[in-house]
Amino acid sequence: MEQQPILTVRDLSKSFPGVRALDRVEFDLRAGEVHVLVGENGAGKSTLAKCILGMYQPDEGEIHLHGEKVCFSSPKDGIAHGIVAVYQELTMVPYLNAAQNIFLNREPLIRGTGLINHRKMQRDAKAILASLSCADIDTKIPVKLLDVAQQQMIEIAKALSFKPRIIVLDEPTASLSEREIEPFFEQVRMLREQGIGIIYVSHRMQEYHRIGDRITVLRDGKFIRTLDVGELGDEELVNLMVGRDISQVYVRTKNEHSGEALRTEELRDHKGRVNGCSITLNRGEIVGIAGLVGAGRTEMARLIFGIDKPAGGKIFLHGKEVTGKAPSYVVKNGLGLLPEDRKRYGLALKSSIAWNTVAVSLKSVFPSGIVSERKNRKIAEEYVRLLKTSTPDVVRPVSQLSGGNQQKVVIAKWLSAKSDVIIFDEPTRGIDVGAKMEIYALMDRLAAEGKAILMISSELQEVIGMSDRIYIMKDGTITGEVMRNECSLEEIGRAMVLGKEVLA
Ligand SMILES: Nc1ncnc2c1ncn2[C@@H]1O[C@H](COP(=O)(O)OP(=O)(O)OP(=O)(O)O)[C@@H](O)[C@H]1O
Ligand SMILES: [Mg+2]
């Protein structure tokens, strides 16, 4: 028997200046199901979710909750009706601790006083985190000191603390490693068994099978189809999302590697997370670094880029020593970095696409020191075309772009700076299948042009698909090195967890 939906969306439309983000969208959610929302970057997934949550007010259409029409004027309204969210962007107050973030503005008080009961707050926060198998997260230090995966877990804990009936998860696993995903899915399955309806936005196809019940496909703001998981094969599903035929995902052009671009010798940091890393990267080469979250990969990238000062070891860029130099210096010498956390380090969110595109290349683009808005726009428009960034114009703030399109602006920034050694840290996180392939193709083209690329990624499949060579990193050291096609996914995965013995 067909179950009654708890939530029904009819004919929902929402426009922003220049964009029809949702165009008469249909959607329904049953109790106890995981309903996956899929579609390319900018398809309207987050916008639909935000309308359901009360963050945006739709222009047209209706939302029914348990058969009754509702109009939320704010997320508070949504929460009052049992609808909560874990946002794609981290929304925590960075200098508050985990417990303070989870119970922000509804802190438990000591009875008979107006004082916050910190002990209870800590205890409750710990309990929720323990139920997420994250009891080891320090709930007493400012969350900004935690890594992205841990911050994401706190976001999830916060949502659960409302005891909701509908949960919106917008790319919740984007920053989680494989090891953290399964416990998280266990949690989601438990919520489903309790009859909670879950709206799940994700770009990772394998997750649809692992966790999803039904799928709704959006494309360019339009409702395409709702289907059961497994009703279509992956390829057909991708074709529905992108509206065209997709053949090969990873394409590598054969090219010569010439001369050393980057080398580190026994690099170590002050926190003990990088413990003697020696790597080399040649021109024309894509080198992947495989490892679990916490292996020290991002920390190593930060040392190379000069964000953190090394405690020991050396760094050479095109043969010239740059150990301990500031980012501005290494950038001048051709290094670029696509940071893992692009919202925090990669973009000036309130500034325009045009401005972000030339942010690190001002001097070379405008040698006279006089910035021409027209030239700036033209350059940005070129990259929008090249990278197929979806935006009506280049003058709007990047904060208005969908997650995947923001990533493309970061890439444009380094391309326009003519960087020839680029570190890609989780380059395709939160990026749809179509855009992923465009970014892979772009990386391949850059390598073919002689640029050197260091790629850090938790998606082992893409590390293997794209790299000429792979370093395996564990506990801050390089424990193995394999050439393209020399090793299977399983072998590398085991080496990441266990160390080098496995690879010998
Ligand atoms: N606040 C806003 N102001 C202006 N335009 C917006 C705003 N929010 C979203 N948009 C636009 O609406 C469209 C849909 O965006 P949305 O964020 O819903 O996409 P998405 O499917 O979640 O994409 P992604 O997978 O990249 O997260 C995009 O073209 C985006 O630029
Ligand atoms: Mg989104």
Side-chain angles (χ1 to χ4, degrees):
M1 195 188 77
E2 276 292 283
Q3 218 183 13
Q4 276 299 341
I6 45 176
L7 178 85
T8 317
V9 169
R10 288 282 161 263
D11 256 353
L12 205 73
S13 296
K14 173 78 184 169
S15 292
F16 298 106
V19 197
R20 196 154 168 87
L22 294 177
D23 188 2
R24 311 190 63 145
V25 166
E26 307 280 317
F27 177 79
D28 73 87
L29 179 71
R30 299 170 188 158
E33 82 163 334
V34 176
H35 195 140
V36 191
L37 267 184
V38 308
E40 292 193 278
N41 293 130
K45 305 177 297 291
S46 296
T47 304
L48 174 58
K50 285 173 178 169
C51 287
I52 291 170
L53 286 157
M55 282 185 74
Y56 290 160
Q57 279 69 52
D59 304 332
E60 287 159 58
E62 296 184 356
I63 299 175
H64 293 256
L65 191 63
H66 305 290
E68 262 174 58
K69 187 175 168 192
V70 289
C71 280
F72 301 149
S73 53
S74 73
K76 261 209 183 106
D77 267 2
I79 290 172
H81 285 81
I83 308 178
V84 303
V86 174
Y87 295 108
Q88 183 176 17
E89 311 84 19
L90 299 175
T91 59
M92 276 172 302
V93 185
Y95 50 84
L96 295 181
N97 68 34
Q100 288 165 327
N101 268 292
I102 292 173
F103 296 105
L104 191 66
N105 290 329
R106 50 193 182 105
E107 294 83 357
L109 300 179
I110 298 172
R111 201 177 314 174
T113 73
L115 301 174
I116 293 173
N117 188 341
H118 283 283
R119 275 179 57 192
K120 176 168 165 45
M121 209 160 78
Q122 281 290 334
R123 217 168 40 233
D124 292 351
K126 280 252 178 253
I128 302 173
L129 284 167
S131 76
L132 283 163
S133 307
C134 292
D136 57 329
I137 292 181
D138 190 337
T139 53
K140 290 190 171 146
I141 59 171
V143 291
K144 68 174 180 199
L145 299 177
L146 301 170
D147 61 37
V148 188
Q150 292 175 319
Q151 294 188 24
Q152 188 79 12
M153 271 303 170
I154 296 166
E155 291 274 356
I156 293 163
K158 177 167 184 162
L160 294 181
S161 73
F162 286 101
K163 305 203 179 357
R165 286 187 293 175
I166 295 175
I167 297 189
V168 177
L169 298 168
D170 197 342
E171 297 188 52
T173 58
S175 43
L176 303 184
S177 69
E178 196 44 43
R179 187 184 39 166
E180 294 157 318
I181 286 179
E182 195 43 46
F184 169 66
F185 279 170
E186 268 312 307
Q187 193 73 29
V188 174
R189 289 185 196 111
M190 221 175 73
L191 298 171
R192 173 166 64 184
E193 265 152 45
Q194 294 168 16
I196 293 175
I198 295 156
I199 300 173
Y200 194 97
V201 182
S202 169
H203 287 295
R204 294 184 173 178
M205 300 217 32
Q206 77 267 27
E207 297 191 346
Y208 310 165
H209 298 284
R210 279 169 72 179
I211 194 77
D213 297 304
R214 287 192 300 160
I215 299 178
T216 287
V217 183
L218 298 181
R219 187 167 74 225
D220 294 331
K222 293 195 179 63
F223 168 79
I224 301 295
R225 184 168 156 189
T226 295
L227 57 154
D228 288 326
V229 167
E231 196 177 320
L232 286 183
D234 283 356
E235 223 168 283
E236 291 163 295
L237 187 60
V238 170
N239 291 342
L240 273 190
M241 287 192 252
V242 300
R244 61 191 144 89
D245 267 319
I246 294 279
S247 50
Q248 236 203 324
V249 179
Y250 306 107
V251 181
R252 283 308 311 278
T253 314
K254 268 226 165 355
N255 67 319
E256 293 296 314
H257 307 153
S258 61
E260 174 191 296
L262 176 74
R263 180 170 93 247
T264 69
E265 285 175 5
E266 287 298 313
L267 201 58
R268 55 188 76 249
D269 70 350
H270 283 283
K271 290 187 234 150
R273 299 187 70 168
V274 182
N275 304 304
C277 273
S278 304
I279 61 164
T280 57
L281 171 65
N282 297 307
R283 294 189 193 106
E285 196 180 31
I286 299 181
V287 169
I289 301 195
L292 300 173
V293 167
R297 297 165 306 165
T298 294
E299 286 76 9
M300 182 167 78
R302 288 172 61 98
L303 291 177
I304 295 173
F305 200 69
I307 301 170
D308 299 328
K309 296 275 169 258
K314 288 181 176 164
I315 307 164
F316 297 89
L317 198 56
H318 301 300
K320 178 167 155 190
E321 185 167 356
V322 296
T323 319
K325 297 285 189 198
S328 59
Y329 184 87
V330 291
V331 167
K332 238 180 269 158
N333 283 276
L335 190 69
L337 169 72
L338 265 84
E340 168 185 41
D341 186 350
R342 60 177 167 262
K343 293 276 163 75
R344 203 150 22 134
Y345 302 112
L347 291 168
L349 284 176
K350 291 197 180 115
S351 303
S352 67
I353 297 168
W355 184 254
N356 273 281
T357 303
V358 299
V360 287
S361 51
L362 281 175
K363 277 212 186 104
S364 61
V365 178
F366 306 109
S368 66
I370 297 163
V371 175
S372 145
E373 296 252 346
R374 237 193 74 203
K375 184 169 177 197
N376 183 350
R377 273 208 303 274
K378 264 190 74 186
I379 293 171
E381 279 159 7
E382 238 171 78
Y383 284 107
V384 161
R385 238 189 335 272
L386 181 74
L387 302 176
K388 304 202 178 75
T389 314
S390 102
T391 175
D393 56 61
V394 296
V395 292
R396 64 186 54 218
V398 281
S399 59
Q400 291 185 4
L401 295 183
S402 74
N405 285 306
Q406 291 183 354
Q407 184 72 318
K408 292 184 180 178
V409 177
V410 184
I411 295 177
K413 177 172 91 171
W414 294 114
L415 291 183
S416 91
K418 307 271 181 281
S419 307
D420 51 12
V421 182
I422 309 181
I423 304 174
F424 284 75
D425 194 354
E426 303 289 355
T428 63
R429 170 189 298 166
I431 287 187
D432 68 63
V433 272
K436 259 184 199 167
M437 291 195 308
E438 281 157 23
I439 286 176
Y440 296 147
L442 181 76
M443 288 171 72
D444 179 62
R445 200 165 72 223
L446 294 174
E449 283 168 9
K451 296 191 194 292
I453 293 177
L454 190 65
M455 172 167 148
I456 299 171
S457 168
S458 300
E459 272 192 57
L460 203 44
Q461 195 72 64
E462 76 179 12
V463 175
I464 292 172
M466 290 308 295
S467 306
D468 296 303
R469 212 151 40 89
I470 300 171
Y471 287 111
I472 290 153
M473 192 165 178
K474 185 174 185 297
D475 300 331
T477 48
I478 302 294
T479 56
E481 179 183 349
V482 288
M483 300 300 291
R484 185 172 182 79
N485 299 331
E486 231 178 35
C487 235
S488 73
L489 188 107
E490 288 71 27
E491 286 170 301
I492 295 179
R494 269 175 36 225
M496 277 166 35
V497 179
L498 300 170
K500 67 179 150 195
E501 311 82 64
V502 190
L503 279 179

